Amino acid sequence: MIQYRGMKRNIVILLIILTAFGIVGCLRVAADDLYSLPQLSEEYLRLQSQLNAVLSQGAEFSPPTGGPNRQAVQLKDLNGNGVDEVLAFFSVPGASTLQIYIFEMIEDEYSIAEIIEGVGDAFESVRYADMDGDGIVEIIVGWQMGAALKTFSIYSTRDLHSVLLAREEYSELAVYDLSGDGNDNVVTLRLPTQESGAAAQLYTLMQDGEIISSQVRLSTGIEAIARVMTGILTDGVPAIFIESEGRYDEGSLVTDVLTVRNGEFTNISIKGISGVSEDTVRARIYSSDINKDGIVMVPIPRLLKAQSDTAYYAIDWYAYNSTGIIRLALTTYHNNFDEWYLILPSDWRGRVSVRREDIVSGERTVIFSYIVSDEGPYEDFLKVYRLSGEIGVERASLPGRIRLMSEGASTYAFELLASPNSFGLTFDETLIKENFRLIYSDWLAGTT
């Protein structure tokens, strides 16, 4: 039994090593084939021996629970010599002790170079960044301290010896070149407390090894941070977008836009005395780089004139420049139920309404109409279809319909009900094809 358990543990370690070195992703391994996995080279088998030695002391693998790097064993060239070091993450049960073992390769064999030790329930995250451009990677570790408390540490790894540069509490953390000088910064976010409001802290590593930090406030009234995005502003300046939940008159979501302007860490979206980024308060729709040009835009729903009691909305997408000036960049109509959206030409604004018409089974239709006057009538000029099932492709080819695309069991098509560019509106077959998109969940669900 002891021999079997030891063999089982070695198989687990081998799978972790294979995953770290990118091998498992290329394999499909059945349970009966675990004992016939590809043989690793001698240095990797010695690494397995090193990991076994740590485990034999009572430690357990403890991979980070969040962030971009979630493997129990990770590879990273920390000192810039072109050879990856191995970082292994462990916990000591019952002791609230967390350990990061750094193994370096010397003469084709891995040996322990450093052990970073901290206190916590789990590794919340780990990130790697060259914060001062010297080719040496800093390690940013998030430590989970109970259900609510998190602290982070920044470690220098020069000569593969860790030196603690900074340690603070945080709610969320991002690594991004916010200052635009080619070096990564660390940005931490903190929720409000009884003593202070919500804030963001920017950490910069200077050439002499000193960490400097600066702080800006986030919107008053936020209760939870829902999402953190990075991107650029309309003038190409890097920025970070903080999406937070709160209770506001105009909605439950607010976006703070942070950047470095004239060397100062700045929240460019807070204006006036309210302490809230008022231009961005809205219903729960997340900011997005919706047209994939690198510029993150903030969506503001706008109620359309309706032909029924059902409410339909266009979404106006606003973009910032580094001075805080906001402008309307584009407008869309999103059909979340049918998972598509349409970029609307600017001359449709205030002149077009929308309604649904689901009469035929397996066929869902949205109709766009020209508003002749405030009292009506409405002139239909465009139908967009989502067709389901095996007959979807066939129904997309009915007379007058133009097929757009198929996705899974759904086929999308449209039909022009009026001559192109009627009513002084810009529309034709080419425009509808170019402006039609499928919805993916990141902008709606807040995933990253």
Side-chain angles (χ1 to χ4, degrees):
M1 179 65 71
I2 294 176
Q3 183 178 5
Y4 171 77
R5 286 179 178 172
M7 185 177 299
K8 184 177 179 181
R9 184 176 69 177
N10 284 340
I11 291 172
V12 172
I13 295 172
L14 180 59
L15 286 172
I16 290 172
I17 295 173
L18 288 170
T19 302
F21 286 91
I23 299 174
V24 166
C26 303
L27 302 175
R28 293 183 178 178
V29 182
D32 294 340
D33 297 330
L34 287 175
Y35 295 102
S36 59
L37 287 169
Q39 294 298 310
L40 296 178
S41 61
E42 284 295 322
E43 59 266 26
Y44 299 150
L45 293 176
R46 295 191 186 102
L47 173 60
Q48 178 179 322
S49 177
Q50 292 274 15
L51 297 174
N52 267 327
V54 179
L55 294 171
S56 68
Q57 299 171 19
E60 296 179 351
F61 283 117
S62 182
T65 59
N69 306 300
R70 302 192 184 189
Q71 302 83 11
V73 178
Q74 302 179 21
L75 304 179
K76 188 67 180 181
D77 180 8
L78 298 175
N79 55 12
N81 66 355
V83 178
D84 284 332
E85 280 68 51
V86 175
L87 295 91
F89 297 80
F90 297 97
S91 63
V92 179
S96 295
T97 299
L98 300 172
Q99 297 172 323
I100 305 173
Y101 277 71
I102 301 177
F103 299 94
E104 64 175 326
M105 183 179 287
I106 300 176
E107 296 181 353
D108 297 328
E109 185 168 347
Y110 284 104
S111 61
I112 298 173
E114 180 66 300
I115 302 173
I116 298 174
E117 190 166 282
V119 176
D121 297 331
F123 291 103
E124 188 275 330
S125 63
V126 62
R127 292 170 171 83
Y128 306 100
D130 182 359
M131 295 180 64
D132 58 356
D134 64 354
I136 306 299
V137 172
E138 283 70 49
I139 305 176
I140 301 97
V141 183
W143 313 89
Q144 188 73 51
M145 317 283 288
L149 179 61
K150 294 185 287 188
T151 65
F152 81 96
S153 302
I154 302 175
Y155 295 96
S156 168
T157 61
R158 187 174 298 278
D159 300 323
L160 297 184
H161 295 300
S162 64
V163 176
L164 180 64
L165 301 177
R167 184 193 295 270
E168 296 288 346
E169 295 181 11
Y170 73 103
S171 300
E172 298 292 338
L173 183 150
V175 175
Y176 185 56
D177 177 15
L178 194 62
S179 55
D181 61 0
N183 300 328
D184 286 323
N185 305 107
V186 175
V187 178
T188 61
L189 312 173
R190 295 194 303 275
L191 289 173
T193 65
Q194 291 182 348
E195 293 78 25
S196 61
Q201 196 90 9
L202 174 70
Y203 294 85
T204 302
L205 180 59
M206 308 305 291
Q207 293 293 328
D208 61 3
E210 179 186 4
I211 284 275
I212 62 172
S213 66
S214 55
Q215 179 176 290
V216 297
R217 61 176 177 164
L218 301 178
S219 286
T220 301
I222 69 172
E223 299 172 342
I225 296 170
R227 188 181 188 191
V228 179
M229 290 190 67
T230 57
I232 60 173
L233 305 173
T234 56
D235 47 3
V237 175
I240 187 165
F241 298 77
I242 315 302
E243 312 267 65
S244 302
E245 298 171 0
R247 300 175 186 178
Y248 303 98
D249 291 340
E250 300 298 325
S252 61
L253 201 68
V254 64
T255 300
D256 289 295
V257 184
L258 314 180
T259 190
V260 174
R261 186 175 67 195
N262 299 325
E264 293 187 5
F265 189 34
T266 306
N267 186 335
I268 61 173
S269 54
I270 291 182
K271 301 165 186 175
I273 62 174
S274 70
V276 177
S277 297
E278 293 179 333
D279 289 338
T280 71
V281 175
R282 63 196 183 277
R284 194 181 177 88
I285 303 174
Y286 288 93
S287 300
S288 175
D289 174 13
I290 190 168
N291 55 3
K292 308 303 179 187
D293 61 357
I295 299 173
V296 176
M297 302 178 195
V298 179
I300 305 295
R302 173 170 48 85
L303 184 65
L304 294 172
K305 293 181 180 178
Q307 304 176 48
S308 67
D309 293 336
T310 303
Y312 295 94
Y313 293 85
I315 299 177
D316 292 327
W317 295 85
Y318 289 89
Y320 280 85
N321 69 12
S322 59
T323 65
I325 295 175
I326 187 171
R327 66 170 180 84
L328 177 63
L330 61 99
T331 298
T332 60
Y333 170 76
H334 275 75
N335 183 341
N336 300 324
F337 190 66
D338 295 334
E339 300 177 320
W340 60 265
Y341 70 93
L342 187 70
I343 300 173
L344 306 183
S346 59
D347 59 15
W348 290 22
R349 189 178 185 88
R351 306 172 67 195
V352 169
S353 72
V354 174
R355 75 180 190 275
R356 292 195 66 92
E357 189 177 86
D358 300 338
I359 299 174
V360 179
S361 177
E363 182 173 302
R364 296 203 290 267
T365 309
V366 170
I367 302 173
F368 292 83
S369 306
Y370 168 65
I371 303 171
V372 177
S373 68
D374 291 341
E375 293 76 27
Y378 295 81
E379 298 285 347
D380 300 340
F381 67 93
L382 171 66
K383 286 186 176 181
V384 179
Y385 303 95
R386 180 182 179 180
L387 309 161
S388 303
E390 296 181 358
I391 65 170
V393 175
E394 179 181 339
R395 294 194 63 80
S397 301
L398 289 176
R401 296 184 180 182
I402 301 166
R403 181 180 173 185
L404 286 162
M405 63 181 68
S406 294
E407 180 80 6
S410 298
T411 300
Y412 298 88
F414 72 95
E415 181 179 1
L416 296 181
L417 307 177
S419 300
N421 303 324
S422 297
F423 319 115
L425 300 179
T426 302
F427 68 93
D428 57 24
E429 180 179 327
T430 299
L431 182 142
I432 303 304
K433 287 181 177 179
E434 291 179 349
N435 287 16
F436 181 86
R437 306 280 194 279
L438 294 183
I439 291 177
Y440 296 99
S441 62
D442 62 337
W443 77 277
L444 186 62
T447 57
T448 56

